[in-house]
Amino acid sequence: MSVDLGAGAGRPGGGLLVAGTTSDAGKSVVTAGICRWLARRGVRVAPFKAQNMSLNSYVTRDGAEIGRAQAMQAAAAGVEPSALMNPVLLKPGGDRTSQVVLMGRAVGEMSARGYFGRRSGAGPVRYGRREELLETVAGCLEELRSTHDAVICEGAGSPAEINLRHSDIVNMGLARACRLPVVVVGDIDRGGMFASLFGTTALLAEEDQELLAGYLVNKFRGDVSLLEPGLEMLRQLTGRPTLGVLPFRHGLGIDEEDGLRLSLRGGPGAGGGERAEGGAGEPYGAEVLRIAVLPVPLMSNFTDVDALAAEPGVLVRFTDRPQELADADLVVVPGTRGTVRALAWLRERGLAAALARRAAEGRPVLGICGGYQLLGERIEDDVESRAGLVDGLGLLPVRVRFAPEKTLARPAGRALGEDVEGYEIHHGVAEVLGGEPFMTDAAGAALDGCRAGAVRGTHWHGSLESDGFRRAFLRTVAAETGRAFVPAPGTCFAALREAQLETLGDLIEEHADTAALLRLIEEGAPKGLPFVGPGAP
């Protein structure tokens, strides 16, 4: 099968939409795996997600904010991330509202009803903002297709959300507008996969079903031969083949959009008191380091701690129990889209008092972005929560004022004698009134953050991915806690991430019908796919 998919010949490149029966079915990693497999073959490929809902975001080199999953997929494809790859990003701010990020820039808050549109009684649907964006996202996709041989698109949630189909721009609405063939991923580890695949198909309109070309089974454990009779029955029922059975692999939940997951270890999520604990191997020194991460409300970019979890002998757990902070060598307060709300949550659970005790005892605390802001003396917020002036925890001599414009940056500097890079996504502007700067330039001038005793804070997401800085920071934590912990000298976070992406490519190459996938990308959905009733209501 040829891999000349057309863009180089002056016509738009091929495309494919990876949908799923549910959120967290594996769309993100399957999309990344297909991108890596194609890139290995010399195909110029790019990822795309029309609309993403996630608090895990990333800043591109030109200062645009996109979902971290699309940045990861771009790395899998070997291309630079851009706003074209995720034109609409929704960042939840509560149960009913989200910040809308359009083409990398925040454009305001919107309610779910305002975004998705609503139906008044039995009358016509009143369309919301989302339908108006279809032209924008379709234009971004076509621009990517004009410069790449193939674009692999990721859907969102399920394509069979019948209450939202009228304004869909990310699943079948996009597929129909841009004539994309669709494969649906089912998570067999959850159970009920056959019913989910069949039901997803049967709830689509006939015009949508014309584009649904096959299925992928994800997270399978065991003997594939035991599954094959069910796959054949599914083919008979729907007229569509299963294009691969991907085996379960630990540690593939990289840069998650949904839930809470220590990505490099693939451990279970934690929140509300549950724990995710583990390490990347035996300690290099005599002792381990124990790190507790507080799962604050509206937690954002919890992937910041992945680099810590990758270190041999570093045990990371998420916990909301004050008593579990007692034996932690380091407590991390991660980013949040609701700094004031997180403050109240910490106080309600006794965690604020536990952090104050740690600070008084000289035991390490690290706040990142929103976590840094709430460690300060006070917060003036007329933007995010509109709560006005609020007392912070008072552990750092910092005052924060929320600005209407969001800071988006890719800074670099020095910390603890090492080079460090990161990215900034925040409305809060910090005024540092004392202590020592955490991040500086080469001459030692302050760039960001603050240190007071063993309490440190920074706005720089991703800084712990800088290997030298991470090791220096862990050595400092070990010294402050009296632990005989020594960071392993050879841990390279970028190499670990690259190995993960290679594994994703291997899964597609070894366990999917790659010839069939290439045909879909190049030629589109086959003609004459049968209709499965009852169809959309």
Side-chain angles (χ1 to χ4, degrees), residues 34 41 49 77 111 143 150 178 243 376 413:
I34 294 174
R41 297 174 64 93
K49 185 159 185 172
S111 68
E143 185 171 343
C178 299
L243 303 179

Side-chain angles (χ1 to χ4, degrees), residues 240-253:
R240 292 161 174 83
T242 296
L243 303 179
V245 178
L246 309 181
F248 187 95
R249 290 285 186 271
H250 285 284
L252 295 183

Side-chain angles (χ1 to χ4, degrees), residues 270-274 293-298 318-326 333 338 340-357 393:
E274 299 175 8
V293 184
L294 302 181
V296 294
L298 299 175
F318 285 77
T319 180
D320 65 357
R321 296 187 177 104
Q323 58 270 33
E324 292 191 4
L325 305 192
V333 188
V340 171
R341 178 174 168 180
L343 268 171
W345 181 87
L346 291 170
R347 288 176 170 131
E348 289 168 0
R349 284 161 174 74
L351 293 164
L355 289 172
R357 285 193 297 272
L393 297 185

Side-chain angles (χ1 to χ4, degrees), residues 11-12 84 101 109 115 123 154 202 231 262 313 378 397-398 411 439 535:
R11 58 188 176 87
L84 290 173
V101 179
E109 300 279 335
Y115 185 73
E154 179 187 346
L231 299 179
L262 290 189
R378 72 181 191 193
V398 174
M439 308 296 181

Side-chain angles (χ1 to χ4, degrees), residues 38-77:
L38 287 172
R40 285 175 179 173
R41 297 174 64 93
V43 176
R44 294 176 301 170
V45 59
F48 180 79
K49 185 159 185 172
Q51 173 236 295
N52 197 346
M53 179 173 281
S54 178
L55 288 172
N56 282 343
S57 59
Y58 179 80
V59 179
T60 66
R61 291 200 181 279
D62 60 355
E65 184 179 7
I66 65 172
R68 273 198 67 98
Q70 280 60 68
M72 175 269 291
Q73 292 160 354

Side-chain angles (χ1 to χ4, degrees), residues 157 395 428 464 505:
L395 305 185
L464 293 166

Side-chain angles (χ1 to χ4, degrees), residues 111-150:
S111 68
R113 175 173 291 185
Y115 185 73
F116 289 102
R118 62 187 178 92
R119 186 182 297 273
S120 178
V125 173
R126 297 179 182 177
Y127 295 110
R129 173 70 169 163
R130 192 161 77 148
E131 191 200 45
E132 298 170 8
L133 295 173
L134 179 58
E135 183 176 349
T136 296
V137 301
C140 290
L141 174 57
E142 292 311 305
E143 185 171 343
L144 286 173
R145 293 177 76 176
S146 72
T147 55
H148 294 80
D149 300 323

Side-chain angles (χ1 to χ4, degrees), residues 372 396-398 414-417 432-441 443-453 455-458 469:
Y372 165 41
L396 288 174
V398 174
R414 301 273 294 173
L416 302 178
V432 180
L433 304 173
E436 301 174 5
F438 195 11
M439 308 296 181
T440 70
D441 63 16
L447 290 179
D448 178 78
C450 180
R451 174 195 171 185
V455 180
R456 299 169 178 86
T458 178
F469 166 68

